[in-house]
Amino acid sequence: MGVFDFHKKKLGFGLMRLPLLNENDISCIDLEQVKEMVDIFLARGFTYFDTAWMYHAFKSEDAVKEVLTSRHKRDEYTLASKLHAAFISTKEDRDTVFKKQLEKTGVTYFDYYLLHGIEDSTYDRYLAFDCFNWLRWQKAQGLVRHIGCSCHCSADLLDRILTEHPELEFVQLQINYLDWGDKNVQSKQCYRVATAHNVPIVVMEPLKGGTLANLPASAQELLDRAELRASDLALRFVADLPNVAMVLSGMSSLEQLKMNTDIMAFPWPIRAKERLLIKHIKEKFKNLNAIPCTNCAYCTTKCPKDIPINSFFALYNQDIHDTNSKIPQEDGTFWKAEDTYYNQVASAHAPAGDCIKCGECEKLCPQHLPIRDLLEKVKERFGN
């Protein structure tokens, strides 16, 4: 049996952007809504769930037990989790984290387990702590069924990883039509490397953190004329790639889950005219000076000032995209909804100007963003 033969449908539920009870606290998950989402997801024939140690401020794996594993039979779903290099400092830490993950999720084994976010700055760390052999040992013990890695790296490094570690059964890559051909992300090149190694791909960020589901007005107009939904185009683009075995989507509401499962129940192949439409949408994005953040929130997990970096970047991009929201005031200034939201978020946490330039956030950013410099841009746009 192949690695992904269990799955009849290739949409995975990414448990990284779950609905919240408090929008200013990513650890405050709306468990009741997620339970309903999980039940519908399974009822529609989808079975793959993906979590990780630090998702939702280390609460995602706890939520898995509440919404999934304590409520459904073990053969009704498959579960993936991950080990991230940033949270291990000794070989013993590998076992400590892994044991805790099993306890938190309430399972006796993981169907899929990954070394998380391998890139140029972390690969040597995984090697130093002998994580690849450790991963093989977890599989030999029956604590993991299938082993893989997620990568935000160059195609050259991916080729090295898959060459040096043929035991890896799958790889998780960031692929979407906006990053396809991007010189930094190298989605296309990494896809080709994995395919050349005959390693199946799990796609992450098919909607680029929601960017491709909520297009700027100029791009949305193109879709409206074509009578297409933004999520439909983005999900089908990656599902249409031959070597893609699973497409993860971090769904933040019941509405999103219903829409995405509708799309991925029978994803139609991308047509020639849709590829041309994608080209035009990408051209629209080139004219924007947006921050290419995917809203994963990894950057916040070690911020000593509790700055909600990903939320600020989302507001910054929204402010750029939504030029129609600026309402003139009597004093000649403009009121924007984004200003109000920024102040609310900053009051609950810390403003962008509180950044002490320690760089911990940049070590964790899978997009390799110059976060400290970008926070200065946020401060300039919204004040402090």
Side-chain angles (χ1 to χ4, degrees), residues 79-94:
L79 181 62
S81 197
K82 313 176 188 77
L83 177 75
H84 198 292
F87 301 96
I88 56 172
S89 300
T90 65
K91 289 184 177 180
E92 290 72 25
D93 287 343
R94 305 168 309 181

Side-chain angles (χ1 to χ4, degrees), residues 111-231:
D111 300 276
Y112 302 91
Y113 198 81
L114 303 84
L115 298 182
H116 194 177
I118 300 180
E119 52 187 274
D120 295 82
S121 61
T122 61
Y123 185 47
D124 288 341
R125 189 175 181 86
Y126 283 118
L127 292 176
F129 293 123
D130 199 25
C131 288
F132 289 91
N133 284 326
W134 173 85
L135 193 58
R136 294 172 66 185
W137 175 242
Q138 303 310 314
K139 181 180 178 181
Q141 289 183 298
L143 297 174
V144 172
R145 296 288 174 85
H146 301 288
I147 59 176
C149 65
S150 69
C151 295
H152 292 277
C153 64
S154 66
D156 288 342
L157 178 56
L158 180 61
D159 184 50
R160 178 187 168 193
I161 293 168
L162 296 181
T163 299
E164 295 178 355
H165 302 285
E167 71 274 13
L168 295 175
E169 298 172 87
F170 66 101
V171 62
Q172 190 164 304
L173 299 173
Q174 177 172 320
I175 301 178
N176 56 70
Y177 68 70
L178 198 59
D179 290 328
W180 193 256
D182 184 276
K183 294 180 180 179
N184 296 315
V185 181
Q186 297 189 15
S187 285
K188 183 193 295 185
Q189 295 96 316
C190 287
Y191 171 84
R192 289 174 173 172
V193 166
T195 302
H197 282 270
N198 199 31
V199 175
I201 295 169
V202 174
V203 168
M204 55 183 162
E205 304 296 353
L207 300 171
K208 200 171 174 65
T211 298
L212 299 181
N214 301 284
L215 300 174
S218 58
Q220 185 60 48
E221 289 175 3
L222 298 175
L223 276 178
D224 291 342
R225 288 200 294 268
E227 298 183 339
L228 281 172
R229 292 177 298 182
S231 296

Side-chain angles (χ1 to χ4, degrees), residues 7 9-19 29-52 55-56 60 63-64 67-68 71-72 77-82 112 172 202-206 235 246-258 260-261 264:
H7 304 279
K9 298 177 181 178
K10 60 180 181 179
L11 175 67
F13 195 158
L15 302 169
M16 186 173 72
R17 298 184 178 93
L18 298 172
I29 300 169
D30 185 349
L31 294 174
E32 293 307 311
Q33 184 177 174
V34 180
K35 287 178 183 178
E36 188 174 0
M37 294 167 70
V38 165
D39 293 349
I40 292 175
F41 188 77
L42 290 170
R44 294 188 172 189
F46 299 91
T47 54
Y48 191 100
F49 293 84
D50 173 271
T51 186
Y55 287 177
H56 276 281
S60 177
V64 168
V67 304
L68 176 65
R71 301 174 60 249
H72 292 277
Y77 62 85
T78 59
L79 181 62
S81 197
K82 313 176 188 77
Y112 302 91
Q172 190 164 304
V202 174
V203 168
M204 55 183 162
E205 304 296 353
L235 290 174
M246 186 63 59
V247 179
L248 299 179
S249 179
M251 294 169 280
S252 306
S253 68
L254 187 58
E255 180 184 10
Q256 287 181 11
L257 182 132
K258 288 179 177 178
N260 288 355
T261 52
M264 292 295 288

Side-chain angles (χ1 to χ4, degrees), residues 96 110 142 153 191 213 215-217 232 247 274 295 334 343 348:
T96 300
F110 290 109
C153 64
Y191 171 84
L215 300 174
D232 186 295
V247 179
E274 290 172 327
N295 201 31
F334 289 85
N343 290 332

